[in-house]
Structure formats: structure tokens, C-alpha cells
Amino acid sequence: MSTLQIFNIIALIVVASYAFYLFGYVVYQRYQYIRLGKPIEFQLNFGERFREIMINVFGQKKLFKDMKSGIMHTVMFYGFIIIQFGAIDLFWKGLQSGGHLPLGPVYGVFTFLQEITTFLVLIATLYAFHRRYVEKLARLKRNFKSGLVIIFLTSLMFSILMGGAFEQIALQHPSSWSTPISSMLASPFSGLSEGVAEAVFYVFWWMHALVLFTFMVYVPQSKHFHLLMGPVNVFMKRQQPPGKLSLINFEDETVEEYGVGKITDFNQKQLIDLYACVECGRCTNMCPASGTGKMLSPMQLIVKLRDHLTEQGAAITQKAPWVPQVAFSNANQAALEVAVGESGPAMIGDVITEQEIWACTTCRNCEDQCPVMNEHVDKIIDMRRHLVMTQGKMSAEAGRAFSNIEKQGNPWGISKKDRDKWAGDAEVTVPTVKEEKEFEYLFFVGSMGAYDMRSQKISRTLVKLLTQAGVKFAILGNKEKNSGDTPRRMGNEFLFQQLAEDNIKQFQKNNVKKIITIDPHAYNTFKNEYPDLGLEAEVYHHSEVLADLISDGRLVPSKTLTERITYHDSCYLGRYNDIYSAPRFILSKIPGIDLVEMKRSFEDAMCCGAGGGMMWMEEHEGTRVNVARTEQALETKPTMIGSACPYCLTMLSDGTKAKEVEESVQTLDVAEILALSVEFTIEQEEQAS
């Protein structure tokens, strides 16, 4: 063994050992920071979690929402895995002149695969540079750190190919099918002596080693920590309905503060989210608040919380967060001296502004886009809970909505005695649970359907359709209260639980087995959140029931409607509950309708702007979300805009008025559109009797 080989072995062991030590140190410190959060209850459910890994990690499903980016990232992902075997082979060659992995007759195939993969990863890296710095995609950052990883990857791929080229010259190997790229690169340097070629080979060999180990140390200290934490986050994804919020135990007298006011108040899964972030900007790109000029950026929210966690974690554990320490002595000293607790920077106020927290519509567009399954909305709601229930801080509009719901059971403060007043103007009899003891469905009207004049028309239309189909139903009448979705999403968990418990008592008292509602927010709350408080009933959205009635032949849309309709997907019906087909099925069965889709539809549909309690608060920044969504609908040149949510309908109706097209473009619920096509056989006199 030559002196050079001995030197390379010793030097590589020293460098690799130091790099692995630094890597391990940083990963362990981040693990310690995550442990500062509240413990979680984790159920393995290995089969389901393994399926998520296969779909979202190895299948890269979310990344293909942007096809170009998806292909690029898939090449990088699988390429980097394959190239690690090539790195072992490259190190082998440097430590044993003329040697390589003992793969026998398949070694040629191995090297061919390595070279092609390396070349493809290099092309993908250059395309990443093009997307970020030439196309200048708005969702992508353009700073030193963003460019650094491109330099790392380009250097790694370049060193592999150039190392192969000069190894070929040094060993006097002829060009070969198994090394097509390096053979081509070696051609211009074929006149070099073996000694010079060997020296240049070792330059690229060490270049590859040093860049690789530097990159390894850099990864857990950058957004590329997602290479490790992304799969962990996907595996640990909450096995619950999307967007389901946690219950607060108000009977626990040891709890002095509610919600999340400090970074360590988040649970450990929420903190894993922070380190899993890719900083790809897909969430912000789809966010209705960000897209209409509000301060909120879901990506920046996660990034700022992540940096705050690292800062606070370092101060609490008194362990330097950055390595090597010689390069980050000032940053580490500053991090260790950061004050914690009440004397330190306030998470709400200094890190995340109240403006950002209250801009969220809870639409979950951000979460649907995230390739590593991050959840943004629950963090925002947790911070709202702290503001509302611990600090008592909220806008006057929010406070008024809470007060009205608490006193009268609706956000307007209209008398609770008028809750069933809408039924008096219905064309059919609308029985209460007192009047109709035997019923199949309880129709939960909701505050919008009961009090809002426009939404009352949807309620009246639905009961007419149900009567036509021979469905037995009843309403709670004035015993019904607000579903609680509004106060819960606005941070008033205490009021939500009061309302939920009162409604559940009414459901149980009247032996309710099935619930139907026109409100997707109530539907989601009843179906996914009320069971935590004791509800045992089947919950249906009215579009599901109407679609089934059409399928069963109990409702027959026969009148031709010559209309061009675009359908708007409600967030709480679609992204929260995966109901996309039922409303479209209804529309597809109506003769004459031309159903056209908006560019943003199904799971990519933009929010109307009413969710998260925003229905009851004014927008003071940028443009109005509902107007932006209406503009997207108008691009399809419709004569009607359909929806399946009273909140959405109100926002879209206001949008058409703002665009001054309300005379030419109608806004209707799918139930109303269906009713226009149904030949009703019920007689008003019979219903009145």
C-alpha cells in the first residue's frame, strides 16, 4: 500500500468521523428542541403509516401537483439514493488504486446506471437553478442559502463525472459503453500522463468527499433537514379526519393558560412539522390570504416558528445550535444568551403577528399542497385560542359575534325565538321534532339557513325537495343552537363546547339517528368533532342526500336548463371531507346544463373567504378574497355559479355584485338549481293541510 493511499485512508477517516460527529450533534440538538414540546399520544397503525410513506415519500404524490417540479424532484430524490452506492464505489477507487466494488459481471451495468443517473441529477439541478433564478417563480426564495444547495449538488455531480474521466486516463482504460459520460469528458484530456491524470483524479476525489461531508453537516442546519424530517413527519401524520382540532379539558384545574402562547406549548408533532418544512412555497402560493395581499404566508409562519424554536431551544438547553462552532461562534453566543419565558421575545407579537393569525380562513389549501404533510391551521387556531381565552384579545367584530352566539345562538344577535321563522314561508310543512316523532332525518338548519335571508331560500328549497321525494324529516326549531364551528375556529373553545353539549343533548333527547345540513361547516363539526363530546349519529350534507335521491329515482330532474354553470368547491366539504362528486353528480343529471370547471377546482379550489370566522370580520388588507374567487369563476364565462354552502353562496353573490355582473350571472345552491329542473307533484293545499 502506497504512502498516498495510507494518507487518504487516515485523512478520510478523520474527515468523515468529524463530519458524522457534527451531523449527529446537530440532529440530537434538534431532537432535544422537539422534546421541549408537549408529549403526544402516538398510535402505530403501521399499515396505514407505511402506505402514507409509499404514496407521499416514495410516490412523491404531492410534488406532482406541479408537474415540472415533481419530475425534477423525483429525479433528484431517486438519483441521490442511487448515487450513494456510486459514492461508496468512488471512495473505494480512491483508497485502492484500480479497485472498485466487487460486483463481478454486473459492474458494467452498475457504472452505466451511475453515470446516467449522475447526469440526470445534474440536469435536474441546473433546471432547479433555472426555475429559481431565471423563471423566478414567486413561491421560491432567492437567497444565498437557496443557491448554496445548488452549488453543493452541482459540485457533487461534476466531481463524480470528472473523477471518472481522469481515472479512465490514469488507468489507461479505453472508452466504454458502461462509462459514456466520463469517456466523453476524458477525450479532450487524453494526452495527459498517467501521473498527472491520477493527481487530478484525487483532486476531484477529495472535492467530492469534502463537499459531500460538508453537505451532510449543512443538511440538519438548513431547510434540507426535510430530507430526514419529511419522511418522519409523513410517518407520524395524525390519523384523524383532516383539520380536526384538539379538545381542551376545562375541568383540569391545573391549567392556567389556554391555547399556545409559547413555542414549547405546541405538542411534539407540531414541532416536528417545523423542521420538516421544505420551504417550497407551495402553501403560500395557494393561500387565499397571501394571494390577496394579506400579511399571512403559511410558509413564513412555519419558518419563523422553526427559527424561534431553534433559538429558544438553544437558550433553554444551553447547547449551541450551529456547527462547526469555530464558524458560528458569534451566532451561537447570541443564541445562548436569548432570554426565555416572559422576559424573552413573545411568540405572539414579536415572532408571529396578530395580523397573520387573524388572516387565516382555515381553508387547508396550504396543508393539501404540502409534500411533507405539514399542518398549519391547527397551529393558528391554537394561537387564536391563547389570544381569545387567555389574553382576551380579539377584534370588536369577533367579540360581538361571540356575544351574540352566546346570548341568542347566532352571530347576528337576532332573537333565538325567531330561529324557525323561515319555515313559515316554506311551500311545504316543516315539522319540528315535537310535531313529528317519527322521522328519518333531523334537518339541522344552522344559523345561516335560519336567519340569513338569502340562505333561507336554500332551506325552503331543500325541504320542498325532501317532501317531493317522500323523505320524513324534522327540525329542532327554536331549540337549535349555532353548531359552534364559528367560535371554535375563531379560538373560543369554551363557547364551542357549550354549544356542542347543548345541541347533543337535543339530539339525544329526540332520538336523532341521522342529521342532514346545508352547512359544510356544521357538517364537518358534527361528523368529525362532535363525536369527541358524545354524538352518535350519521351526518349527511344535503348534496349527498339529494344525489342519492336522484340515483334512487325519488327525485327526477326533467326540465331542461340551458345554462353554463361553474361549480365552486366549499373548503369544508371538499378538502376537509373529500366530497367533490355529489354536487357535480346532481348538476350532471339536469338536462341542458353545460358544467365547466374553474382552473382552481376540486382539492385546488380557492376559498371563498368566509371560513375561520372571517364571515364576521372585515378584511382590512389587500383585495377581498371573495372578489378574487368570483373573478376566477367569471373566467369560465358562466351564466350560473353553483355552490353547496350558504357561506360560499353569500360571498360569491357579493362578488358578482362587486364585479357588477349580478344581472347576467346567477349564484345558486345546487339544491336550488336542481329544484328548477324537478317537476313538483306536491300540491300546496295538501301541504298546508
Side-chain angles (χ1 to χ4, degrees):
M1 185 177 290
S2 68
T3 304
L4 178 61
Q5 287 176 319
I6 294 173
F7 170 79
N8 284 335
I9 291 172
I10 295 173
L12 186 65
I13 290 173
V14 171
V15 171
S17 299
Y18 183 52
F20 275 104
Y21 164 74
L22 294 179
F23 174 81
Y25 173 87
V26 176
V27 172
Y28 181 71
Q29 291 311 315
R30 300 308 187 263
Y31 166 72
Q32 291 290 85
Y33 302 162
I34 290 170
R35 287 192 62 193
L36 295 172
K38 294 180 178 178
I40 59 171
E41 292 182 10
F42 181 75
Q43 296 179 333
L44 184 56
N45 297 331
F46 183 79
E48 179 61 26
R49 295 184 186 281
F50 180 74
R51 191 180 75 87
E52 291 286 351
I53 288 286
M54 295 305 295
I55 292 172
N56 293 299
V57 177
F58 292 103
Q60 306 271 292
K61 178 184 176 182
K62 294 290 187 77
L63 287 160
F64 280 95
K65 285 178 175 287
D66 179 341
M67 186 59 68
K68 293 179 181 178
S69 177
I71 293 172
M72 176 193 75
H73 197 278
T74 300
V75 170
M76 287 183 171
F77 177 79
Y78 281 103
F80 217 71
I81 292 174
I82 293 170
I83 287 169
Q84 298 319 301
F85 296 100
I88 296 171
D89 185 49
L90 182 60
F91 287 137
W92 192 307
K93 291 175 179 179
L95 299 176
Q96 182 183 348
S97 181
H100 58 72
L101 286 176
L103 298 177
V106 300
Y107 183 71
V109 176
F110 172 79
T111 55
F112 178 78
L113 178 63
Q114 287 295 320
E115 290 227 343
I116 296 302
T117 302
T118 301
F119 181 70
L120 289 175
V121 172
L122 180 60
I123 295 300
T125 303
L126 294 176
Y127 182 63
F129 174 85
H130 175 80
R131 295 267 284 178
R132 192 176 296 269
Y133 296 103
V134 180
E135 280 188 41
K136 294 184 178 180
L137 289 184
R139 65 179 175 83
L140 298 177
K141 292 181 177 180
R142 282 170 286 280
N143 53 31
F144 174 71
K145 286 185 178 180
S146 302
L148 191 57
V149 72
I150 293 177
I151 294 172
F152 277 135
L153 292 176
T154 304
S155 301
L156 287 172
M157 301 309 111
F158 182 71
S159 62
I160 290 172
L161 295 174
M162 293 304 293
F166 284 98
E167 181 208 20
Q168 191 176 111
I169 298 170
L171 298 177
Q172 295 294 293
H173 287 168
S175 298
S176 170
W177 66 269
S178 64
T179 55
I181 311 297
S182 57
S183 292
M184 183 179 65
L185 293 173
S187 181
F189 305 100
S190 58
L192 291 177
S193 67
E194 294 178 25
V196 172
E198 182 181 22
V200 178
F201 164 75
Y202 276 109
V203 168
F204 284 110
W205 188 83
W206 272 110
M207 173 184 172
H208 185 80
L210 293 173
V211 172
L212 180 64
F213 290 129
T214 302
F215 186 44
M216 184 177 76
V217 174
Y218 173 75
V219 161
Q221 303 183 89
S222 70
K223 70 171 188 139
H224 290 278
F225 198 20
H226 78 265
L227 295 171
L228 296 177
M229 298 308 294
V232 171
N233 205 42
V234 172
F235 185 78
M236 295 189 69
K237 175 189 173 186
R238 290 196 303 160
Q239 302 291 309
Q240 294 180 336
K244 181 179 178 180
L245 299 177
S246 60
L247 277 177
I248 292 178
N249 181 8
F250 289 105
E251 294 181 0
D252 186 351
E253 296 180 357
T254 64
V255 177
E256 297 180 355
E257 294 187 354
Y258 297 111
V260 171
K262 304 186 297 293
I263 194 70
T264 52
D265 289 339
F266 284 118
N267 67 49
Q268 292 168 356
K269 171 59 179 68
Q270 291 175 309
L271 298 183
I272 290 174
D273 277 0
L274 309 184
Y275 285 127
C277 180
V278 186
E279 292 187 41
C280 61
R282 286 174 173 81
C283 53
T284 295
N285 191 52
M286 298 297 281
C287 175
S290 178
T292 53
K294 313 299 188 293
M295 183 177 285
L296 174 64
S297 161
M299 181 185 76
Q300 286 302 323
L301 178 96
I302 295 292
V303 169
K304 288 192 288 187
L305 288 174
R306 179 197 68 199
D307 293 345
H308 183 57
L309 171 61
T310 302
E311 181 183 76
Q312 290 291 292
I316 293 170
T317 63
Q318 283 298 292
K319 296 290 185 181
W322 312 108
V323 295
Q325 299 222 26
V326 66
F328 296 99
S329 57
N330 292 335
N332 283 332
Q333 187 63 34
L336 295 176
E337 292 176 355
V338 168
V340 296
E342 294 183 3
S343 59
M347 185 179 73
I348 300 177
D350 296 330
V351 179
I352 307 297
T353 65
E354 292 181 35
Q355 221 170 340
E356 292 170 275
I357 293 170
W358 288 108
C360 179
T361 66
T362 69
C363 71
R364 289 195 62 255
N365 224 320
C366 50
E367 297 177 5
D368 177 73
Q369 292 291 316
C370 183
V372 294
M373 318 303 280
N374 272 351
E375 294 184 83
H376 309 69
V377 175
D378 66 332
K379 298 174 184 61
I380 291 173
I381 301 300
D382 281 341
M383 288 187 280
R384 285 184 181 180
R385 286 172 168 179
H386 186 80
L387 285 171
V388 171
M389 294 189 295
T390 298
Q391 296 187 21
K393 295 179 70 175
M394 68 204 84
S395 68
E397 299 151 333
R400 186 161 51 248
F402 292 152
S403 178
N404 289 337
I405 292 172
E406 189 172 4
K407 292 175 181 176
Q408 300 294 347
N410 67 84
W412 295 276
I414 302 172
S415 174
K416 55 188 173 186
K417 295 180 180 179
D418 293 340
R419 195 171 192 94
D420 62 356
K421 208 171 182 181
W422 65 273
D425 294 327
E427 296 180 38
V428 296
T429 301
V430 182
T432 64
V433 289
K434 277 188 176 181
E435 299 162 342
E436 181 67 65
K437 298 296 183 181
E438 299 294 327
F439 55 88
E440 182 180 4
Y441 291 98
L442 173 80
F443 174 28
F444 188 91
V445 187
S447 293
M448 286 292 287
Y451 290 103
D452 177 65
M453 292 184 66
R454 176 63 187 87
S455 301
Q456 287 175 352
K457 295 179 181 179
I458 306 173
S459 299
R460 295 188 190 109
T461 301
L462 177 61
V463 296
K464 186 178 180 182
L465 287 167
L466 293 176
T467 303
Q468 171 70 20
V471 175
K472 285 193 171 184
F473 68 92
I475 63 172
L476 288 175
N478 293 336
K479 295 294 184 180
E480 179 185 294
K481 291 189 176 181
N482 185 277
S483 69
D485 168 80
T486 290
R488 188 170 218 201
R489 263 66 197 178
M490 293 173 76
N492 195 335
E493 177 71 8
F494 185 78
L495 179 54
F496 160 74
Q497 292 193 22
Q498 280 186 322
L499 294 164
E501 288 168 2
D502 289 345
N503 280 325
I504 290 172
K505 284 178 184 176
Q506 288 297 322
F507 297 157
Q508 293 172 339
K509 177 182 177 182
N510 293 285
N511 197 30
V512 173
K513 301 298 182 185
K514 295 181 180 180
I515 300 171
I516 180 175
T517 180
I518 62 173
D519 178 5
H521 299 258
Y523 170 81
N524 176 71
T525 301
F526 292 158
K527 183 179 179 181
N528 299 322
E529 298 178 339
Y530 268 40
D532 287 344
L533 294 167
L535 177 64
E536 295 180 0
E538 297 175 31
V539 184
Y540 298 90
H541 184 256
H542 75 292
S543 65
E544 294 179 291
V545 175
L546 293 176
D548 286 343
L549 292 174
I550 293 172
S551 294
D552 294 342
R554 296 169 68 182
L555 284 177
V556 181
S558 56
K559 296 180 184 177
T560 299
L561 298 184
T562 309
E563 302 286 353
R564 182 178 172 89
I565 298 180
T566 189
Y567 173 73
H568 163 79
D569 288 284
S570 159
C571 306
Y572 277 77
L573 200 58
R575 278 184 293 275
Y576 275 79
N577 289 285
D578 201 33
I579 296 177
Y580 298 105
S581 60
R584 289 176 171 82
F585 175 80
I586 294 169
L587 296 175
S588 71
K589 292 300 179 180
I590 300 174
I593 279 184
D594 177 20
L595 182 60
V596 291
E597 297 289 354
M598 291 181 243
K599 289 180 181 178
R600 288 185 61 174
S601 58
F602 294 90
E603 66 270 16
D604 290 337
M606 181 178 172
C607 178
C608 72
M614 297 304 294
M615 180 79 177
W616 319 108
M617 295 187 286
E618 284 299 322
E619 296 179 51
H620 300 291
E621 298 176 88
T623 57
R624 295 185 65 85
V625 175
N626 68 312
V627 173
R629 182 54 172 167
T630 303
E631 289 172 347
Q632 293 173 4
L634 294 177
E635 288 176 2
T636 66
K637 302 188 185 310
T639 57
M640 279 186 184
I641 300 174
S643 76
C645 170
Y647 291 94
C648 294
L649 189 65
T650 297
M651 300 303 273
L652 293 168
S653 297
D654 289 348
T656 58
K657 292 172 185 175
K659 301 302 294 184
E660 299 181 346
V661 294
E662 71 272 23
E663 297 297 327
S664 58
V665 180
Q666 293 179 274
T667 49
L668 298 171
D669 186 88
V670 290
E672 295 176 303
I673 300 172
L674 173 61
L676 293 174
S677 181
V678 170
E679 190 73 52
F680 287 95
T681 57
I682 49 177
E683 297 293 331
Q684 292 185 27
E685 292 80 13
E686 291 178 2
Q687 304 310 313
S689 65

